[in-house]
């Protein structure tokens, strides 16, 4: 009894000091870090609002506000208890409702380490269908809230639910100043190998260009993110509680403790130190935190009396520090990513790379709106407390990055809610844009404001302003370099006069609107009055600036200023369209692309493009797994042409001086326009797909398939969230043996920006750029396919069938773009980055009727920069924080293995760069904009190759008077710049 009493006292002391002082137990005793947590999706089966308030509980019982209420109360009762919270979108809502007393209590809990923020983003973002711009933004708004409110910063990336993990995500976490990254979902074979080789922990070397500064300690959770089996103490669980009243017949302490210690010791066998972590929580748990914590208190108390393990309340950051304290351990490294994710032999989660393509496209479009909105806010030095702002769209975009949002894996009414939130934020940002553009354009305070409107349906040739009379168009360019591109404006007549900001008439080509576009206009708007589009070039629109073009249509015949298009319908012979960069030849018999020639480099390739569909599996006698919002599983490797099997597209050729195009109609529900513009070094493919027919009871996964004569040796390349390119080899994984159970789905990867194949011997690269996230692959040598749309007849049991019916109710229609490049490897490296940047940051077009407007009263051109940025530098962020502070991010957008001209370190002088303000001081921050870079002190790890990582992040200082920023390949640098607005 004396020994037991001493052991109880010793273990109690270990619990106390282990949880509060961080004392590490060494020797054979296993430190068991219990991490109480809840995983709160910001939308999935229910909307964000429904999850927060507990509405619609017939779908799923979940109420986040009560989770936070309950947890805060229970933490306050026992200073040993800990809890982590992740989704700041929910926490901010809850925080705004609390009394001063409750806020003070929370401050104390955060200060003493009981309540710890982990990850810290607005949401736990998806990693496959997100762009790095969106990931950084959503992390920033959450991290800045935490820093501004509590003066602390998260130290651990907590991506426990996303369905695969990208290299850029790891890079971002390292640049955020995190010490580690943890996740739960990796391929089942990868997981099995890591378990058998004690390798759940590794150093992820995520960016060859950035090197060791991007390295991060990474841990795959032992058992998803749930508690050990039989140790869930939530109100939703049925596991037996710990009943420690020995007068009761159901007294079970010995049984429960023995079982728990067994789990702990089994888990400990997998790890290299005597520390293990157990995630004590799950989706939307702790609504009754008392039940959880009282059972955990007992579990800690009685398990520690045994003496073989040391159980403590902990957090991931405390756990990582304990692991790191063992300096005798060396860690393996990994340099590829964790895509694709498969949970079982026939369950490859590659369908969500494409699911809900309309939402994916809208999210990407809203990112462009948001960046322009934030830039103009900064240029204007804010719009005042009562004015419109970018906050609404920032938060909507933050929610949209969630791993059940842009991923397309949510229920339909939740997808509708995401889109509505984006639209509400977009409308307010349009007010910002219109207000600032008016203020910049007006030469005096008495000049009437332009009544600017934004044509949401330009992609289907609907814009009431341009169809109804004389107008002005403001083109805002959010790039850090001048923009030249083509604009399509719907008009009623065949003639128009367009003048540039210097009042010089610009060439215009008038093109008849296709029947496909007219039918879409009728479905979406009920209006298809325009008969033509006026196509013209906007040239050298200033960086971070605008140019105003005018159009006259109503007061005369302007045929002398317009070029008519030559239109040939139902072409039955070979057709070639060309510009000064490319020739594209079409086969008259099939109507398909036949060959592409780059006339500048002299490179030519036979290229065939066609739309096919895979028959979506509903399960078979091998496995019941079906194709659903998450999983792509075709019934077989066979593809079916969308043209009902006759392998034919009806084509129409449209040619002219500025634009030549071939319109292809493959079937009543698939068409495409292949375009060449006079001065653009890319081939544009604008596809229209839908409604996908399912009357035959077959789910269909639609692909755009390209076949070339390139020898590619099973290799292709895809981007990582728009950043580093990732080498992919068909039917191969670099760190474990691939089991080829799904030859199509298992070779699909996320494509956010571009995919390409190379013929190394010929030095030829074929690249496809896309305007939204899609799944892509190279199933046979020389080929690329991108999935553009999906419609399924069965679901996954939770989300239901991915059967989007669209506005018509007959099925969703998608219109999107691909850009094709065929060139040598060096030229492709530059062109693909420039074109991808332009696809991402498309210019903002706003319109006003010219009635009552005297153009001489307006500044028709404005640049926000005194000089353009170099091509290899992207202005990633310019964001107003307060009247004297602006957040600035500059981004080197080339990799270290790109041609030397573009991959060199580049300097940017900030002094006098911005026209609207003078820079007084510059403070460099971590990527999230929440902490000074000089305050980051990261844990060091020893790799098995005898390297200490991460390497020091000591970029050249940015000091006055010139404030020169030096950028190496793939580097993103973040600053708070103290500014003084210039008087206009």
């Amino acid at each position: 009894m004396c020994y037991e009493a001493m052991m109880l006292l010793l273990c109690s002391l270990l619990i106390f000091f282990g949880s509060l002082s961080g004392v590490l137990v060494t020797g054979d005793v296993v430190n068991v870090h219990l991490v109480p947590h809840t995983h709160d999706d910001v939308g999935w089966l229910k909307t964000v609002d429904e999850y927060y308030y507990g509405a619609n509980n017939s779908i799923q019982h979940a109420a986040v506000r009560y989770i936070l209420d309950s947890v805060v109360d229970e933490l306050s009762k026992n200073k040993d208890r800990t809890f982590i919270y992740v989704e700041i979108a929910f926490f901010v809502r809850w925080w705004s409702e609390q009394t001063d007393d409750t806020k003070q209590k929370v401050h104390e809990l955060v200060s003493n380490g009981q309540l710890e923020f982990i990850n810290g983003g607005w949401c736990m973002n998806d990693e496959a269908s997100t762009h790095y711009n969106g990931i950084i933004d959503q992390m920033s708004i959450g991290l800045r809230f935490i820093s501004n409110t509590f003066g602390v910063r998260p130290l651990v990336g907590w991506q426990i639910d996303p369905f695969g993990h990208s290299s850029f995500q790891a890079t971002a976490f390292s640049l955020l100043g995190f010490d580690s990254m943890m996740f739960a979902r990796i391929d089942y074979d990868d997981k099995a190998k890591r378990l058998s080789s004690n390798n759940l922990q590794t150093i992820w070397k995520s960016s060859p260009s950035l090197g060791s500064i991007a390295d991060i300690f990474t841990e795959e959770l032992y058992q998803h993110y749930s508690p050990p089996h039989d140790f869930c103490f939530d109100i939703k669980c049925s596991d037996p509680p710990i009943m420690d009243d020995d007068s009761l017949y159901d007294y079970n302490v010995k049984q429960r403790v023995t079982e728990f210690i067994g789990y702990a010791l089994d888990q400990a066998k997998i790890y290299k130190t005597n520390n293990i972590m157990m995630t004590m929580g799950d989706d939307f748990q702790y609504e009754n935190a008392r039940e959880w914590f009282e059972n955990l208190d007992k579990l800690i108390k009685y398990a520690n009396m045994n003496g073989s393990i040391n159980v403590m309340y902990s957090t991931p950051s405390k756990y990582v520090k304990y692991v790191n304290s063992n300096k005798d351990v060396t860690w393996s490294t990994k340099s590829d990513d964790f895509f694709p994710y498969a949970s079982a032999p026939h369950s490859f989660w590659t369908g969500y790379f494409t699911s809900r393509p309309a939402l994916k496209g809208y999210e990407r479009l809203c990112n462009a709106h948001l960046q322009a909105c934030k830039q103009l806010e900064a240029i204007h030095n804010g719009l005042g407390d009562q004015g419109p702002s970018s906050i609404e769209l920032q938060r909507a975009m933050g929610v949209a990055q969630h791993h059940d949002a842009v991923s397309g894996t949510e229920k339909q009414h939740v997808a509708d809610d995401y889109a509505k939130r984006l639209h509400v934020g977009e409308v307010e940002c349009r007010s910002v844009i219109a207000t600032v553009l008016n203020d910049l354009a007006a030469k005096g305070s008495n000049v009437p404001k332009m009544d600017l409107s934004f044509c949401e349906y330009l992609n289907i040739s609907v814009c009431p302003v341009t169809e109804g009379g004389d107008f002005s168009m403001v083109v805002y360019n959010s790039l850090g370099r001048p923009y030249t591109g083509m604009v399509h404006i719907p008009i009623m007549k065949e003639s128009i006069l367009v003048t540039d900001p210097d009042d010089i008439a610009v060439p215009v080509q008038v093109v008849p609107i296709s029947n496909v576009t007219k039918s879409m206009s009728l479905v979406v708007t009920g209006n298809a009055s325009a008969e033509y589009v006026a196509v013209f070039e906007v040239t050298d629109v200033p960086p971070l600036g605008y140019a105003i073009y005018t159009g006259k249509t109503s007061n005369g015949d302007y045929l002398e200023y317009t070029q008519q298009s030559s239109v040939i319908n139902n072409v039955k012979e070979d057709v070639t369209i060309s510009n000064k960069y490319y020739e594209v030849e079409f086969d008259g018999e099939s109507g398909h692309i036949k060959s592409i020639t780059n006339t500048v480099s002299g490179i030519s390739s036979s290229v065939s493009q066609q739309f096919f569909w895979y028959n979506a599996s509903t399960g078979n006698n091998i496995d019941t797994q079906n194709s659903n919002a998450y999983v792509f599983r075709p019934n077989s490797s066979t593809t079916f042409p969308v043209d009902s099997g006759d392998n034919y597209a009806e084509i129409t050729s449209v040619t002219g001086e500025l634009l030549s195009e071939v319109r292809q109609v493959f079937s009543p529900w698939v068409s495409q326009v292949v375009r060449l513009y006079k001065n653009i070094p890319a081939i544009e493919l604008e596809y229209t797909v839908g409604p996908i027919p399912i009357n035959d009871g077959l789910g269909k996964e639609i692909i755009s398939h390209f076949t070339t004569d390139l020898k590619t040796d099973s290799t292709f390349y895809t981007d990582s969230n728009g950043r580093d390119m990732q080498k992919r080899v068909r039917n191969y994984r670099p760190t474990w043996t691939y089991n080829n159970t799904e030859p199509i789905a298992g070779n699909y990867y996320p494509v956010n920006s571009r995919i390409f194949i190379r013929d190394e011997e010929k030095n030829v690269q074929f690249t496809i750029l896309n305007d939204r996230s899609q799944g892509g692959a190279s199933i046979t040598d020389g080929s690329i396919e991108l999935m553009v749309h999906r419609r399924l007849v069965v679901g996954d049991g939770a989300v239901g069938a991915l059967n989007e019916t669209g506005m018509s109710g007959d099925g969703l229609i998608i219109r999107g773009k691909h850009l094709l490049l065929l060139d040598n490897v060096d030229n492709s490296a530059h062109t693909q980055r420039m074109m991808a940047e332009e696809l991402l940051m498309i210019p903002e077009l706003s319109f006003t009727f010219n009635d009552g407007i005297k153009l001489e009263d307006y500044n028709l051109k404005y640049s926000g920069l005194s000089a353009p940025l170099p091509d290899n530098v992207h202005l990633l962020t310019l964001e107003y924080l307060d009247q004297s502070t602006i957040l600035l991010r500059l981004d080197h957008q080339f990799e270290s293995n790109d041609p030397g001209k573009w991959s060199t370190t580049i300097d940017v002088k900030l002094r006098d760069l911005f026209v609207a303000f003078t820079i007084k001081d510059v403070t460099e921050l971590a990527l999230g904009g929440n902490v000074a870079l000089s305050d980051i002190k990261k844990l060091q790890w020893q790799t098995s190759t005898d390297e200490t990582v991460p390497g020091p992040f000591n970029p050249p200082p940015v000091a006055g008077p010139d404030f020169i920023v030096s950028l190496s390949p793939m580097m993103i640098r973040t600053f708070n710049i103290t500014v003084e607005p210039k008087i206009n």
Side-chain angles (χ1 to χ4, degrees), residues 286-359:
Y286 284 81
E287 199 171 319
N288 177 6
R290 178 184 177 185
E291 188 169 353
W292 255 114
F293 280 115
E294 289 194 358
N295 278 280
L296 290 179
D297 289 345
K298 295 176 183 179
L299 185 62
I300 292 171
K301 173 183 175 181
Y302 295 113
N304 283 343
M305 291 176 67
N306 178 277
S308 59
I309 61 175
N310 173 41
V311 189
M312 67 185 83
Y313 280 114
S314 190
T315 68
S317 61
K318 293 176 183 177
Y319 163 72
V320 170
K321 286 180 180 178
Y322 276 22
V323 172
N324 179 260
S325 67
N326 191 329
K327 300 302 183 183
D328 296 329
V329 177
T330 59
W331 306 95
S332 65
T333 62
K334 175 185 173 67
S335 57
D336 59 315
D337 63 9
F338 290 91
F339 283 120
Y341 164 60
S343 57
H346 300 284
S347 302
F348 283 85
W349 295 38
T350 55
Y352 80 98
F353 301 161
T354 300
S355 295
R356 302 196 186 279
L359 182 63

Side-chain angles (χ1 to χ4, degrees), residues 202-274:
T202 189
I203 303 297
W204 194 349
K205 305 182 77 65
S206 60
S207 175
S209 295
L210 290 173
S212 64
I213 64 170
D215 295 353
I216 192 166
F217 177 81
T218 305
E219 179 167 329
E220 158 69 8
L221 299 183
Y222 178 71
Q223 177 181 288
H224 199 52
Y225 53 83
S226 308
H229 180 64
D230 279 346
F231 285 89
C232 178
F233 302 119
D234 196 72
I235 56 173
K236 303 176 199 173
C237 297
S238 56
D239 297 349
I242 296 176
M243 295 175 279
D244 59 346
D245 184 343
D246 58 9
S247 68
L248 299 178
Y249 292 119
D250 290 333
Y251 177 81
N252 65 356
V253 170
K254 183 178 179 180
Q255 171 196 344
R256 302 292 280 139
V257 166
T258 300
E259 187 178 0
F260 180 79
I261 291 174
Y263 281 131
L265 294 178
D266 283 345
Q267 182 174 337
K269 296 173 185 176
I270 304 297
Y271 293 87
K272 294 185 177 181
T273 76
N274 65 325

Side-chain angles (χ1 to χ4, degrees), residues 700-742:
K700 298 177 179 63
E701 328 246 11
I702 316 304
I703 62 168
S704 178
H705 186 274
F706 299 81
T707 303
T708 74
D709 56 8
L710 274 59
K711 307 301 182 185
T712 56
D713 193 25
S714 301
T715 302
F716 60 108
Y717 299 81
T718 64
D719 66 285
S720 177
N721 303 111
R723 292 286 284 171
D724 304 71
M725 297 304 297
Q726 310 290 300
K727 182 179 180 180
R728 313 297 192 185
V729 178
R730 189 166 58 253
N731 297 330
Y732 173 76
R733 303 292 188 264
T735 55
W736 45 276
T737 303
Y738 172 65
N739 182 16
N740 190 22
T741 53
E742 290 289 332

Side-chain angles (χ1 to χ4, degrees), residues 242-482:
I242 296 176
M243 295 175 279
D244 59 346
D245 184 343
D246 58 9
S247 68
L248 299 178
Y249 292 119
D250 290 333
Y251 177 81
N252 65 356
V253 170
K254 183 178 179 180
Q255 171 196 344
R256 302 292 280 139
V257 166
T258 300
E259 187 178 0
F260 180 79
I261 291 174
Y263 281 131
L265 294 178
D266 283 345
Q267 182 174 337
K269 296 173 185 176
I270 304 297
Y271 293 87
K272 294 185 177 181
T273 76
N274 65 325
N275 293 278
I276 64 171
M277 182 175 66
M278 291 185 176
T279 48
M280 307 306 288
D282 211 307
D283 291 3
F284 300 99
Q285 294 199 356
Y286 284 81
E287 199 171 319
N288 177 6
R290 178 184 177 185
E291 188 169 353
W292 255 114
F293 280 115
E294 289 194 358
N295 278 280
L296 290 179
D297 289 345
K298 295 176 183 179
L299 185 62
I300 292 171
K301 173 183 175 181
Y302 295 113
N304 283 343
M305 291 176 67
N306 178 277
S308 59
I309 61 175
N310 173 41
V311 189
M312 67 185 83
Y313 280 114
S314 190
T315 68
S317 61
K318 293 176 183 177
Y319 163 72
V320 170
K321 286 180 180 178
Y322 276 22
V323 172
N324 179 260
S325 67
N326 191 329
K327 300 302 183 183
D328 296 329
V329 177
T330 59
W331 306 95
S332 65
T333 62
K334 175 185 173 67
S335 57
D336 59 315
D337 63 9
F338 290 91
F339 283 120
Y341 164 60
S343 57
H346 300 284
S347 302
F348 283 85
W349 295 38
T350 55
Y352 80 98
F353 301 161
T354 300
S355 295
R356 302 196 186 279
L359 182 63
K360 282 177 164 64
Y362 188 41
E363 178 273 336
R364 193 63 58 85
L365 192 65
C366 284
N367 178 72
H369 297 327
L370 176 58
Q371 304 315 316
C373 182
K374 291 197 295 185
Q375 290 174 3
L376 287 167
E377 249 182 334
I379 288 170
H380 196 271
N381 196 35
L383 277 77
D385 293 339
Q386 304 304 314
S389 79
S390 62
I391 297 299
E392 193 75 25
L393 186 52
Q394 286 188 53
R395 292 183 170 186
M397 278 292 293
V399 167
Q401 306 311 304
H402 170 53
H403 59 269
D404 284 306
V406 68
S407 60
T409 55
E410 66 274 33
K411 278 185 172 290
Q412 184 62 55
H413 81 285
V414 182
D416 296 340
D417 185 70
Y418 289 134
K420 182 172 82 172
R421 290 173 187 279
L422 289 171
H423 180 69
V424 170
E426 184 185 27
V427 168
E428 184 164 356
C429 260
R430 285 172 177 162
S431 295
V432 172
I433 293 170
T435 299
V436 178
L437 289 177
N438 264 301
D439 285 353
L440 292 173
K443 289 182 177 178
S445 58
N446 295 324
V447 173
K449 303 293 186 185
M450 295 180 289
D451 184 17
L452 293 174
S453 61
F454 299 79
C455 294
E456 296 180 285
Y457 300 117
L458 268 179
N459 69 328
I460 53 172
S461 300
V462 175
C463 182
V465 179
T466 65
E467 296 170 37
D470 297 347
F471 62 92
S472 289
M473 177 182 73
V474 185
V475 184
Y476 177 75
N477 170 28
S478 56
L479 297 174
R481 55 187 172 86

